[in-house]
């Protein structure tokens, strides 16, 4: 190729590239979500596509929802799919696999799609539509054009006779019940709750509004509840020292189990029943602290593999013990920092994790890193694998690992640094500065940089099945493990552990325990 033709080629290439970019930008996607007969457990979706410039277009439904690391096969709920051109004439399409619809010959034209979604499963990672409300998991409702996950989208919600919509999506000014997302990742990060919802009076932390909206909240002391929740948010923010969103919404989807974290909201099963006892209130505050703390830990402070999301295959990582396990650790710590619980209750939380680990033979077969990686196959809590008794849950060993790391760092630095410093450094270094996740090695390096020593011994508890050395690690902070053997009603032998203070503490143990237990002023 001569120089002249190279220049011509480059010129033509640049024309081509700029036209491709312009076309990408002009692709316009508008979704309308309607609920013509909610009592039938269906919702309806219309998609208007403008300025499509390709030929065959593939529309895909994600197979899972970030935050719930299981393939959910949402496309199974799609019924009555159709595609039409500008004149309303049907366009041929083919369902080429479980979750992909190919629409042929759509070149340079506007067209529309429509389909129904059967929504009859009451669970935080599934959509439910009934006569009283609708909770829509957006990964299971809105298909995306393959290759265009970065396209902005708008969603109009036809809420019918219901009064309110709760979602983390950005409302469009001057267009009631219309929302926008800069890309599909944000759309998929914002479930939508519709119904005659109740909103509790919001509170501010550092000048930022925090809302609580829900369906069928029930009767409880709502003033006390919001005061406690504000303390939880304040204590969580104090760990990292920054609030990265403009508004945050707690979205209570009705009685049921489970919660899923998002960037500026969380959706969770909720009932006001039981909140009149201190245990019930404590349990709820732990639960909400966990979901809330996730907006830092996993949504922003995240493993390298958890972004960009692969909505077909899922994203395996060794580090869910950090994302989930340390969020359990911080749920305990934050509720204590918030002044909502006492030392005994804090330690009891860890007792339950120790008892779960030590009574599970799986601890000798599977490491924390393996449990993290394998959760896609083994079920959400690591207990439903094909080989029962050979797997563990990072929800149990993860928080103990958090405790070990925290105490090790405090011990190594004469109580000048803690795991909080690690979380802060990950937030500023990887989320804010590098805008990516961290690898396994980078997580360990971040811990070692704060501790000022090698932590390879401690990390053996992550990558091997070495038995946990409670004596040494709890001992750093003047704590110890008491062991009792019990026999259950079924005749099964169990061991029961309780974490307690030692009788006498040296000055470093005393200062570590005091600062670890310290409440925020
Ligand atoms: Zn979690």
């Amino acid at each position: 190729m001569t120089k002249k033709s190279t220049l011509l080629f480059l010129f033509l290439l640049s024309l081509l590239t700029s036209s491709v970019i312009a076309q990408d930008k002009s692709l316009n996607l508008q979704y309308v979500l309607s609920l013509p007969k909610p009592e039938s457990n269906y919702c309806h979706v219309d998609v208007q596509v403008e300025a499509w410039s390709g030929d065959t277009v593939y529309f895909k439904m994600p197979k899972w929802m970030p935050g719930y690391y299981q393939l959910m096969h949402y496309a199974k709920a799609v019924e009555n799919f159709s595609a039409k051109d500008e004149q309303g004439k049907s366009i041929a399409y083919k369902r080429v696999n479980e979750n992909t619809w190919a629409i042929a010959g759509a070149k340079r034209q506007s067209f529309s799609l429509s389909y129904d979604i059967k929504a009859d499963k009451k669970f935080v990672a599934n959509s439910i539509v009934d006569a009283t409300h609708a909770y829509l998991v957006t990964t299971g409702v809105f298909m995306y054009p393959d290759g265009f996950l970065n396209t902005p989208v708008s969603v109009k919600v036809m809420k019918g006779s219901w009064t309110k919509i709760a979602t983390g999506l950005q409302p469009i000014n001057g267009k009631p019940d219309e929302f926008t997302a800069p890309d599909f990742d944000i759309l998929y990060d914002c479930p939508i709750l519709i119904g005659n919802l109740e909103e509790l009076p919001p509170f501010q932390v550092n000048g930022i509004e925090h809302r609580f909206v829900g369906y069928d909240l029930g009767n409880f002391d709502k003033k006390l509840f919001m005061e406690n929740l504000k303390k939880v948010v304040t204590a969580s923010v104090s760990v990292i020292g920054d609030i990265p969103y403009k508004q945050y919404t707690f979205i209570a989807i009705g009685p049921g189990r489970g919660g899923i974290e998002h960037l500026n909201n969380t959706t969770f099963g909720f009932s006001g029943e039981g909140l009149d006892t201190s245990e019930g209130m404590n349990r709820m505050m732990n639960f909400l602290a966990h979901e809330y703390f996730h907006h830092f830990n996993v949504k922003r402070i995240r493993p390298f593999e958890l972004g960009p999301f692969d909505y077909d295959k899922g994203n395996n990582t060794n580090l869910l013990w950090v994302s989930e396990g340390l969020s359990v650790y911080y749920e305990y710590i934050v509720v204590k920092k918030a002044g909502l619980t006492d030392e005994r209750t804090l330690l009891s939380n860890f007792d339950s994790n120790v008892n779960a680990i030590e009574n599970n033979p799986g601890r000798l077969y599977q490491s924390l890193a393996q449990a993290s990686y394998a959760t896609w196959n083994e079920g959400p809590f690591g207990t439903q694998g094909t080989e029962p008794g050979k797997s563990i849950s990072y929800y149990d060993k993860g928080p103990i690992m958090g405790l070990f790391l925290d105490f090790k760092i405090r011990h190594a630095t004469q109580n000048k640094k803690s795991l909080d410093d690690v979380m802060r450094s990950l937030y500023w270094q990887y989320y804010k500065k590098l805008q990516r996740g961290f690898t396994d090695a980078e997580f360990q390096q971040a811990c070692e940089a704060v501790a000022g020593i090698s932590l390879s011994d401690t990390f053996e508890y992550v990558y091997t099945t070495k038995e946990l050395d409670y004596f040494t690690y709890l001992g750093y902070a003047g704590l110890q493990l008491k062991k009792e053997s019990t026999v259950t009603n079924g005749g099964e032998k169990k061991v029961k552990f309780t974490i307690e203070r030692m009788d006498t503490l040296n000055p470093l143990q005393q200062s570590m325990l005091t600062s670890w237990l310290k409440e925020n002023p």
Side-chain angles (χ1 to χ4, degrees), residues 261 290-291 294 324 395:
E261 61 277 5
H290 178 94
E291 299 308 332
H294 266 315
E324 287 300 338
Y395 288 98

Side-chain angles (χ1 to χ4, degrees), residues 42 61 73-82 95 98-99 101 114-118 140-141 143:
Y42 280 90
M61 188 70 93
H73 305 287
Y74 291 121
K76 283 184 183 166
V78 176
E79 295 180 18
N80 303 320
F81 184 94
S82 72
R95 190 167 181 170
E98 174 193 317
N99 66 329
W101 284 257
S114 94
Y115 52 88
D116 296 318
I117 296 285
K118 187 166 193 186
V141 170
M143 297 183 186

Side-chain angles (χ1 to χ4, degrees), residues 74-93:
Y74 291 121
K76 283 184 183 166
V78 176
E79 295 180 18
N80 303 320
F81 184 94
S82 72
K84 292 199 168 81
D85 69 11
E86 287 150 301
Q87 283 77 43
K89 272 196 261 165
S90 290
I91 306 174
Y93 72 86

Side-chain angles (χ1 to χ4, degrees), residues 31 34 232 288 295 311 450 475:
Y31 292 78
S34 54
V232 162
L288 294 181
H295 87 77
Y311 292 106
V450 169

Side-chain angles (χ1 to χ4, degrees), residues 405-423:
L405 272 172
D406 202 355
F407 285 1
K408 180 82 183 180
I409 292 166
R410 288 172 190 267
H411 180 78
T413 59
Q414 296 293 300
N415 199 31
K416 290 192 175 62
K417 301 275 180 186
S418 73
L419 189 61
D420 295 1
D421 293 282
V422 175
M423 299 309 277

